Short mmCIF file of all heavy atoms in Angstrom, two decimals:
data_model
loop_
_atom_site.label_atom_id
_atom_site.label_comp_id
_atom_site.label_asym_id
_atom_site.label_seq_id
_atom_site.Cartn_x
_atom_site.Cartn_y
_atom_site.Cartn_z
N THR A 39 0.73 -5.56 -12.06
CA THR A 39 1.89 -6.48 -12.17
C THR A 39 3.15 -5.84 -11.51
O THR A 39 3.90 -6.55 -10.80
CB THR A 39 2.20 -6.85 -13.61
OG1 THR A 39 0.97 -7.37 -14.20
CG2 THR A 39 3.31 -7.84 -13.79
N PHE A 40 3.37 -4.60 -11.77
CA PHE A 40 4.54 -3.91 -11.15
C PHE A 40 4.43 -3.85 -9.67
O PHE A 40 5.36 -4.06 -8.95
CB PHE A 40 4.80 -2.58 -11.84
CG PHE A 40 6.00 -1.81 -11.34
CD1 PHE A 40 7.23 -2.51 -11.26
CD2 PHE A 40 5.96 -0.51 -10.99
CE1 PHE A 40 8.39 -1.85 -10.77
CE2 PHE A 40 7.09 0.12 -10.53
CZ PHE A 40 8.31 -0.50 -10.40
N ASN A 41 3.30 -3.53 -9.20
CA ASN A 41 3.04 -3.50 -7.69
C ASN A 41 3.47 -4.87 -7.13
O ASN A 41 4.12 -4.91 -6.06
CB ASN A 41 1.61 -3.13 -7.34
CG ASN A 41 1.39 -1.73 -7.36
OD1 ASN A 41 2.31 -0.89 -7.17
ND2 ASN A 41 0.13 -1.30 -7.46
N ALA A 42 3.07 -5.98 -7.77
CA ALA A 42 3.45 -7.29 -7.29
C ALA A 42 4.92 -7.47 -7.27
O ALA A 42 5.49 -8.02 -6.37
CB ALA A 42 2.71 -8.35 -8.03
N LEU A 43 5.56 -7.03 -8.36
CA LEU A 43 7.08 -7.15 -8.43
C LEU A 43 7.77 -6.34 -7.41
O LEU A 43 8.84 -6.73 -6.90
CB LEU A 43 7.54 -6.69 -9.81
CG LEU A 43 7.12 -7.52 -10.99
CD1 LEU A 43 7.63 -6.86 -12.29
CD2 LEU A 43 7.83 -8.91 -10.88
N LYS A 44 7.18 -5.24 -6.97
CA LYS A 44 7.74 -4.37 -5.91
C LYS A 44 7.47 -5.00 -4.55
O LYS A 44 8.03 -4.49 -3.56
CB LYS A 44 7.13 -3.00 -5.94
CG LYS A 44 7.48 -2.12 -7.12
CD LYS A 44 7.06 -0.69 -6.98
CE LYS A 44 5.51 -0.48 -7.10
NZ LYS A 44 5.15 0.95 -7.06
N GLY A 45 6.71 -6.08 -4.52
CA GLY A 45 6.41 -6.67 -3.18
C GLY A 45 5.37 -5.94 -2.42
O GLY A 45 5.24 -6.15 -1.18
N LYS A 46 4.64 -5.11 -3.06
CA LYS A 46 3.60 -4.29 -2.36
C LYS A 46 2.34 -5.10 -2.29
O LYS A 46 2.10 -5.99 -3.11
CB LYS A 46 3.34 -2.97 -3.13
CG LYS A 46 4.48 -2.02 -3.04
CD LYS A 46 4.04 -0.68 -3.70
CE LYS A 46 3.14 0.11 -2.83
NZ LYS A 46 2.91 1.49 -3.36
N GLU A 47 1.54 -4.77 -1.34
CA GLU A 47 0.21 -5.33 -1.25
C GLU A 47 -0.57 -4.94 -2.53
O GLU A 47 -0.35 -3.85 -3.08
CB GLU A 47 -0.51 -4.72 -0.01
CG GLU A 47 -1.91 -5.23 0.20
CD GLU A 47 -2.48 -4.59 1.48
OE1 GLU A 47 -1.76 -4.50 2.49
OE2 GLU A 47 -3.70 -4.25 1.44
N ALA A 48 -1.36 -5.85 -3.01
CA ALA A 48 -2.15 -5.59 -4.22
C ALA A 48 -2.96 -4.28 -4.06
O ALA A 48 -3.51 -4.06 -2.99
CB ALA A 48 -3.03 -6.75 -4.55
N ALA A 49 -3.04 -3.52 -5.15
CA ALA A 49 -3.85 -2.35 -5.07
C ALA A 49 -5.32 -2.76 -4.97
O ALA A 49 -5.75 -3.74 -5.54
CB ALA A 49 -3.64 -1.52 -6.31
N TYR A 50 -6.05 -2.01 -4.19
CA TYR A 50 -7.51 -2.28 -4.05
C TYR A 50 -8.21 -1.99 -5.38
O TYR A 50 -9.11 -2.72 -5.72
CB TYR A 50 -8.08 -1.36 -2.93
CG TYR A 50 -9.49 -1.60 -2.70
CD1 TYR A 50 -9.99 -2.76 -2.05
CD2 TYR A 50 -10.49 -0.72 -3.20
CE1 TYR A 50 -11.31 -2.94 -1.85
CE2 TYR A 50 -11.84 -0.94 -3.02
CZ TYR A 50 -12.28 -2.05 -2.33
OH TYR A 50 -13.62 -2.24 -2.16
N ILE A 51 -7.77 -0.93 -6.05
CA ILE A 51 -8.44 -0.53 -7.29
C ILE A 51 -7.54 -0.94 -8.49
O ILE A 51 -6.43 -0.63 -8.48
CB ILE A 51 -8.63 1.01 -7.35
CG1 ILE A 51 -9.55 1.47 -6.17
CG2 ILE A 51 -9.20 1.47 -8.63
CD1 ILE A 51 -9.70 2.90 -5.92
N PRO A 52 -8.10 -1.69 -9.43
CA PRO A 52 -7.28 -2.15 -10.58
C PRO A 52 -6.73 -0.95 -11.40
O PRO A 52 -7.29 0.16 -11.32
CB PRO A 52 -8.28 -2.92 -11.41
CG PRO A 52 -9.50 -3.20 -10.57
CD PRO A 52 -9.50 -2.11 -9.50
N TRP A 53 -5.59 -1.24 -12.04
CA TRP A 53 -4.90 -0.25 -12.84
C TRP A 53 -5.82 0.52 -13.72
O TRP A 53 -5.72 1.80 -13.77
CB TRP A 53 -3.71 -0.81 -13.60
CG TRP A 53 -2.91 0.13 -14.31
CD1 TRP A 53 -1.91 0.93 -13.70
CD2 TRP A 53 -3.09 0.65 -15.62
NE1 TRP A 53 -1.40 1.86 -14.67
CE2 TRP A 53 -2.07 1.68 -15.81
CE3 TRP A 53 -3.93 0.34 -16.67
CZ2 TRP A 53 -1.97 2.37 -17.02
CZ3 TRP A 53 -3.74 1.03 -17.87
CH2 TRP A 53 -2.85 2.02 -18.04
N GLU A 54 -6.61 -0.11 -14.43
CA GLU A 54 -7.41 0.61 -15.49
C GLU A 54 -8.38 1.58 -14.80
O GLU A 54 -8.60 2.68 -15.34
CB GLU A 54 -8.29 -0.44 -16.31
CG GLU A 54 -7.52 -1.10 -17.36
CD GLU A 54 -7.05 -0.26 -18.56
OE1 GLU A 54 -7.64 0.82 -18.77
OE2 GLU A 54 -6.10 -0.64 -19.22
N ASP A 55 -8.92 1.24 -13.63
CA ASP A 55 -9.78 2.13 -12.94
C ASP A 55 -8.99 3.30 -12.30
O ASP A 55 -9.45 4.44 -12.28
CB ASP A 55 -10.57 1.40 -11.81
CG ASP A 55 -11.52 0.40 -12.35
OD1 ASP A 55 -11.83 0.42 -13.63
OD2 ASP A 55 -12.06 -0.46 -11.60
N ARG A 56 -7.79 3.03 -11.81
CA ARG A 56 -6.90 4.16 -11.32
C ARG A 56 -6.54 5.10 -12.38
O ARG A 56 -6.64 6.30 -12.27
CB ARG A 56 -5.69 3.56 -10.61
CG ARG A 56 -5.97 2.85 -9.26
CD ARG A 56 -4.74 2.29 -8.57
NE ARG A 56 -4.34 1.02 -9.17
CZ ARG A 56 -3.15 0.75 -9.60
NH1 ARG A 56 -2.10 1.58 -9.45
NH2 ARG A 56 -2.81 -0.41 -10.14
N LYS A 57 -6.30 4.53 -13.57
CA LYS A 57 -5.98 5.37 -14.77
C LYS A 57 -7.26 6.24 -15.12
O LYS A 57 -7.13 7.40 -15.30
CB LYS A 57 -5.63 4.49 -15.95
CG LYS A 57 -5.37 5.18 -17.19
CD LYS A 57 -5.00 4.15 -18.36
CE LYS A 57 -4.62 4.85 -19.61
NZ LYS A 57 -5.74 5.32 -20.39
N PHE A 58 -8.38 5.62 -15.10
CA PHE A 58 -9.63 6.37 -15.40
C PHE A 58 -9.85 7.53 -14.45
O PHE A 58 -10.17 8.60 -14.89
CB PHE A 58 -10.76 5.34 -15.35
CG PHE A 58 -12.13 5.97 -15.47
CD1 PHE A 58 -12.69 6.30 -16.71
CD2 PHE A 58 -12.92 6.31 -14.37
CE1 PHE A 58 -13.88 6.90 -16.88
CE2 PHE A 58 -14.13 6.90 -14.46
CZ PHE A 58 -14.66 7.21 -15.73
N LEU A 59 -9.67 7.24 -13.16
CA LEU A 59 -9.91 8.27 -12.14
C LEU A 59 -8.92 9.48 -12.38
O LEU A 59 -9.28 10.60 -12.28
CB LEU A 59 -9.73 7.75 -10.70
CG LEU A 59 -10.88 6.71 -10.27
CD1 LEU A 59 -10.50 6.03 -8.99
CD2 LEU A 59 -12.17 7.49 -10.18
N LEU A 60 -7.67 9.09 -12.58
CA LEU A 60 -6.64 10.16 -12.73
C LEU A 60 -6.94 10.97 -14.00
O LEU A 60 -6.72 12.18 -14.02
CB LEU A 60 -5.23 9.60 -12.77
CG LEU A 60 -4.75 9.06 -11.40
CD1 LEU A 60 -3.51 8.23 -11.57
CD2 LEU A 60 -4.54 10.15 -10.47
N GLU A 61 -7.32 10.31 -15.10
CA GLU A 61 -7.62 11.08 -16.33
C GLU A 61 -8.76 12.01 -16.16
O GLU A 61 -8.96 12.95 -16.92
CB GLU A 61 -7.90 10.07 -17.50
CG GLU A 61 -6.70 9.31 -17.93
CD GLU A 61 -7.00 8.22 -18.96
OE1 GLU A 61 -8.12 7.73 -18.94
OE2 GLU A 61 -6.05 7.91 -19.75
N ALA A 62 -9.63 11.73 -15.18
CA ALA A 62 -10.80 12.64 -14.97
C ALA A 62 -10.35 13.93 -14.25
O ALA A 62 -11.20 14.88 -14.27
CB ALA A 62 -11.84 11.91 -14.07
N LEU A 63 -9.21 14.03 -13.66
CA LEU A 63 -8.74 15.19 -12.98
C LEU A 63 -8.23 16.27 -13.99
O LEU A 63 -7.45 15.90 -14.92
CB LEU A 63 -7.58 14.87 -11.99
CG LEU A 63 -7.97 13.92 -10.90
CD1 LEU A 63 -6.69 13.59 -10.08
CD2 LEU A 63 -9.02 14.48 -9.96
N SER A 64 -8.71 17.49 -13.83
CA SER A 64 -8.33 18.52 -14.80
C SER A 64 -6.83 18.86 -14.79
O SER A 64 -6.31 19.38 -15.75
CB SER A 64 -9.16 19.79 -14.51
OG SER A 64 -8.85 20.30 -13.22
N CYS A 65 -6.13 18.56 -13.65
CA CYS A 65 -4.72 18.85 -13.61
C CYS A 65 -3.86 17.77 -14.33
O CYS A 65 -2.64 18.00 -14.58
CB CYS A 65 -4.25 18.98 -12.15
SG CYS A 65 -4.63 17.51 -11.14
N VAL A 66 -4.40 16.62 -14.69
CA VAL A 66 -3.67 15.58 -15.31
C VAL A 66 -3.92 15.60 -16.83
O VAL A 66 -5.13 15.58 -17.29
CB VAL A 66 -4.12 14.23 -14.74
CG1 VAL A 66 -3.44 13.07 -15.51
CG2 VAL A 66 -3.78 14.13 -13.25
N ASP A 67 -2.85 15.66 -17.57
CA ASP A 67 -3.04 15.70 -19.03
C ASP A 67 -2.84 14.30 -19.76
O ASP A 67 -3.44 14.09 -20.79
CB ASP A 67 -1.93 16.61 -19.67
CG ASP A 67 -2.20 18.07 -19.21
OD1 ASP A 67 -3.22 18.68 -19.57
OD2 ASP A 67 -1.39 18.62 -18.44
N ARG A 68 -2.08 13.48 -19.12
CA ARG A 68 -1.90 12.15 -19.71
C ARG A 68 -1.51 11.16 -18.59
O ARG A 68 -0.81 11.47 -17.66
CB ARG A 68 -0.79 12.17 -20.72
CG ARG A 68 -0.60 10.82 -21.39
CD ARG A 68 0.30 11.06 -22.70
NE ARG A 68 0.44 9.69 -23.29
CZ ARG A 68 1.30 9.43 -24.19
NH1 ARG A 68 2.22 10.33 -24.52
NH2 ARG A 68 1.39 8.22 -24.71
N VAL A 69 -2.01 9.91 -18.71
CA VAL A 69 -1.60 8.82 -17.77
C VAL A 69 -0.96 7.75 -18.58
O VAL A 69 -1.45 7.31 -19.62
CB VAL A 69 -2.88 8.27 -17.05
CG1 VAL A 69 -2.47 7.12 -16.15
CG2 VAL A 69 -3.54 9.40 -16.20
N ILE A 70 0.20 7.25 -18.10
CA ILE A 70 0.91 6.13 -18.71
C ILE A 70 1.15 5.09 -17.72
O ILE A 70 1.19 5.36 -16.46
CB ILE A 70 2.25 6.61 -19.38
CG1 ILE A 70 3.18 7.17 -18.29
CG2 ILE A 70 1.96 7.64 -20.48
CD1 ILE A 70 4.57 7.52 -18.85
N PRO A 71 1.36 3.81 -18.11
CA PRO A 71 1.74 2.78 -17.18
C PRO A 71 3.16 2.83 -16.65
O PRO A 71 4.03 3.12 -17.47
CB PRO A 71 1.46 1.48 -17.91
CG PRO A 71 1.62 1.85 -19.38
CD PRO A 71 1.27 3.34 -19.47
N GLU A 72 3.30 2.53 -15.42
CA GLU A 72 4.65 2.34 -14.86
C GLU A 72 4.83 0.81 -14.68
O GLU A 72 4.09 0.18 -13.93
CB GLU A 72 4.85 3.02 -13.54
CG GLU A 72 6.25 2.78 -12.95
CD GLU A 72 6.48 3.34 -11.57
OE1 GLU A 72 5.52 3.53 -10.81
OE2 GLU A 72 7.68 3.55 -11.19
N THR A 73 5.76 0.25 -15.42
CA THR A 73 5.87 -1.19 -15.41
C THR A 73 7.20 -1.72 -14.83
O THR A 73 7.33 -2.92 -14.53
CB THR A 73 5.86 -1.74 -16.89
OG1 THR A 73 6.83 -1.19 -17.66
CG2 THR A 73 4.46 -1.42 -17.49
N ASN A 74 8.13 -0.78 -14.57
CA ASN A 74 9.41 -1.17 -14.02
C ASN A 74 10.16 0.02 -13.44
O ASN A 74 9.87 1.19 -13.86
CB ASN A 74 10.29 -1.93 -14.97
CG ASN A 74 10.71 -1.11 -16.18
OD1 ASN A 74 11.58 -0.26 -16.03
ND2 ASN A 74 10.03 -1.29 -17.30
N TRP A 75 11.12 -0.18 -12.54
CA TRP A 75 11.86 0.92 -11.86
C TRP A 75 12.69 1.71 -12.86
O TRP A 75 12.92 2.84 -12.69
CB TRP A 75 12.75 0.37 -10.76
CG TRP A 75 12.12 -0.13 -9.53
CD1 TRP A 75 12.01 -1.45 -9.09
CD2 TRP A 75 11.35 0.65 -8.57
NE1 TRP A 75 11.29 -1.41 -7.90
CE2 TRP A 75 10.93 -0.17 -7.52
CE3 TRP A 75 11.18 2.05 -8.46
CZ2 TRP A 75 10.20 0.24 -6.47
CZ3 TRP A 75 10.39 2.47 -7.34
CH2 TRP A 75 10.00 1.60 -6.39
N GLU A 76 13.19 0.98 -13.87
CA GLU A 76 14.18 1.57 -14.73
C GLU A 76 13.58 2.47 -15.87
O GLU A 76 14.32 3.11 -16.59
CB GLU A 76 15.02 0.39 -15.43
CG GLU A 76 15.84 -0.36 -14.46
CD GLU A 76 15.10 -1.40 -13.67
OE1 GLU A 76 14.04 -1.85 -14.16
OE2 GLU A 76 15.56 -1.75 -12.57
N GLN A 77 12.30 2.50 -15.98
CA GLN A 77 11.71 3.17 -17.08
C GLN A 77 11.77 4.75 -17.00
O GLN A 77 11.47 5.48 -17.98
CB GLN A 77 10.31 2.77 -17.38
CG GLN A 77 9.19 3.43 -16.43
CD GLN A 77 7.81 2.90 -16.75
OE1 GLN A 77 7.57 1.73 -16.63
NE2 GLN A 77 6.96 3.83 -17.21
N LYS A 78 12.06 5.26 -15.88
CA LYS A 78 11.97 6.72 -15.63
C LYS A 78 12.87 7.47 -16.65
O LYS A 78 12.38 8.47 -17.21
CB LYS A 78 12.32 7.08 -14.20
CG LYS A 78 11.22 6.64 -13.24
CD LYS A 78 11.58 6.84 -11.79
CE LYS A 78 10.54 6.42 -10.87
NZ LYS A 78 10.24 4.96 -10.90
N ILE A 79 14.05 7.11 -16.81
CA ILE A 79 14.97 7.81 -17.77
C ILE A 79 14.37 7.70 -19.16
O ILE A 79 14.32 8.77 -19.91
CB ILE A 79 16.40 7.22 -17.72
CG1 ILE A 79 17.04 7.58 -16.35
CG2 ILE A 79 17.22 7.81 -18.90
CD1 ILE A 79 18.40 6.91 -16.09
N VAL A 80 13.89 6.52 -19.58
CA VAL A 80 13.27 6.37 -20.94
C VAL A 80 12.11 7.29 -21.03
O VAL A 80 11.95 7.95 -22.06
CB VAL A 80 12.96 4.91 -21.19
CG1 VAL A 80 12.11 4.77 -22.43
CG2 VAL A 80 14.14 4.03 -21.14
#
Side-chain angles (χ1 to χ4, degrees):
T39 303
F40 183 46
N41 275 338
L43 291 174
K44 292 190 287 186
K46 290 183 76 172
E47 182 178 318
Y50 180 77
I51 300 172
W53 184 84
E54 285 291 338
D55 292 348
R56 289 181 280 131
K57 178 180 184 283
F58 173 83
L59 291 169
L60 290 167
E61 288 174 336
L63 298 174
S64 62
C65 59
V66 174
D67 295 293
R68 183 167 181 199
V69 177
I70 62 173
E72 179 186 23
T73 60
N74 64 77
W75 288 113
E76 295 78 26
Q77 82 180 61
K78 290 175 181 64
I79 293 171
V80 172

